[in-house]
Amino acid sequence: MENSKSNMGLKVGLGIALVLFLGTGFYTMNLYKSSNQIQKDLTEEKQLVMNDLNAMAKQYDVAISENDVANKNLTDARSRIQGLIDSLKISETNVRSLWRYKKKYQSLQKEMDVLLAQNDSLRVENSYLATSLDSTRVRLEERNMFTDSLLVQNNALAEVVENAAVLNTVGLKGFGVIERTSGKLIPTERATRTDKIRVCFTVAKNGLVQAGDQELYVQVIDPKNNTLGLNAQVQFNDKTLSYSIISKFNYENASLNICEFVASKGKNSFEKGRYIVNVFNEKDLVSSSEFTLK
């Protein structure tokens, strides 16, 4: 009887032990499966964070490439992201580590939103500034062209005024005269009787010429191509002028009749033939005529 009870207790004990063993095995199996699933999920989550960081790095690369001048804030942020990517690659795959990297990613995401917004605003401002500078450059070029054109016109006008502001003579004529002791002058065409050559002309009115003392150079050339009178020379830049007499007068912005006398080189030695009379305003010939002594 006692043996029967002992066997029954042993069987019950063995049954309980078997149940506990099977339960423990089942629990251990489930725990292992759960651990593998958690590790797989953590690995996938880690890869997602890595993908997000790589995408963020590419956004920075695009923003940096769009700037002609390096933006230090963008390049520094790009370096921090690369450092985080390199650290994440070698980090432990656990909840605590992954949570820390996700927090850093979220912080970098907020920083990137601010930096890219600032960069976009700066690019818009730079684009507007470049457009404004181009417009300003075009206006300056147009103004320079206008100024150059105006300068050319002013120079041309100044040249016209300068050329126009010159005394001219009209009615120039030369002829021989006999000079009496009384001072009376008798015109003559005979060379042997001519005492002097008289040159007369009218200084024309010119409002562009300033009133005051003026002078013109009179040149009388005989038939042998000699300059009569003083036969002096005056230099104007690269031109030398031989003249017979300097006609000096006071110009008062009105027409003025002038006569000058030119003597021969020797007493009563005027040659027969054609004489040329020229009047110069400095180096410029303003009138010319001729006459003949027989």
Side-chain angles (χ1 to χ4, degrees), residues 99-111:
W99 177 250
R100 185 172 69 252
Y101 280 101
K102 289 189 72 173
K103 292 289 287 183
K104 289 182 178 179
Y105 164 75
Q106 291 172 355
S107 176
L108 290 175
Q109 178 69 50
K110 292 178 181 179
E111 179 187 26

Side-chain angles (χ1 to χ4, degrees), residues 12 16 19-20 53 75 95 122 132 135 138 157 163 266 276 284 290:
V12 171
I16 292 172
V19 170
L20 290 174
L53 288 172
T75 55
V95 174
L122 184 60
S132 178
S135 177
V138 169
L157 180 60
N163 292 335
I276 298 175
D284 298 318
E290 60 182 60

Side-chain angles (χ1 to χ4, degrees), residues 245-264:
I245 188 173
I246 301 177
S247 179
K248 298 182 178 181
F249 52 91
N250 184 265
Y251 178 71
E252 297 180 348
N253 292 116
S255 297
L256 180 64
N257 295 322
I258 294 177
C259 287
E260 301 287 356
F261 293 95
V262 177
S264 64

Side-chain angles (χ1 to χ4, degrees), residues 106-148:
Q106 291 172 355
S107 176
L108 290 175
Q109 178 69 50
K110 292 178 181 179
E111 179 187 26
M112 186 184 72
D113 292 341
V114 173
L115 289 177
L116 292 186
Q118 291 176 349
N119 184 63
D120 289 341
S121 176
L122 184 60
R123 284 197 301 110
V124 171
E125 291 178 2
N126 288 341
S127 176
Y128 174 78
L129 180 60
T131 302
S132 178
L133 287 175
D134 288 340
S135 177
T136 301
R137 184 164 53 251
V138 169
R139 289 197 299 271
L140 285 175
E141 289 175 354
E142 291 176 348
R143 181 172 296 178
N144 287 337
M145 290 176 61
F146 174 76
T147 301
D148 291 342

Side-chain angles (χ1 to χ4, degrees), residues 42-54 80-105:
L42 288 174
T43 301
E44 291 177 354
E45 188 68 21
K46 178 179 179 179
Q47 186 60 45
L48 289 176
V49 174
M50 183 73 72
N51 293 341
D52 289 340
L53 288 172
N54 285 324
R80 287 195 294 274
I81 290 174
Q82 187 60 51
L84 191 61
I85 291 174
D86 295 338
S87 176
L88 181 60
K89 287 178 181 179
I90 62 176
S91 67
E92 294 181 3
T93 307
N94 54 56
V95 174
R96 182 178 180 182
S97 175
L98 189 58
W99 177 250
R100 185 172 69 252
Y101 280 101
K102 289 189 72 173
K103 292 289 287 183
K104 289 182 178 179
Y105 164 75

Side-chain angles (χ1 to χ4, degrees), residues 9 21 29 57 80 101 123 137 146 166 187 194 222 231 271 286:
F21 176 77
M29 185 178 296
R80 287 195 294 274
Y101 280 101
R123 284 197 301 110
R137 184 164 53 251
F146 174 76
V166 174
T194 298
D222 70 7
N231 191 21
E271 299 287 338
V286 294

Side-chain angles (χ1 to χ4, degrees), residues 7-20:
N7 289 334
M8 180 63 68
L10 181 60
K11 288 180 180 179
V12 171
L14 289 174
I16 292 172
L18 180 61
V19 170
L20 290 174

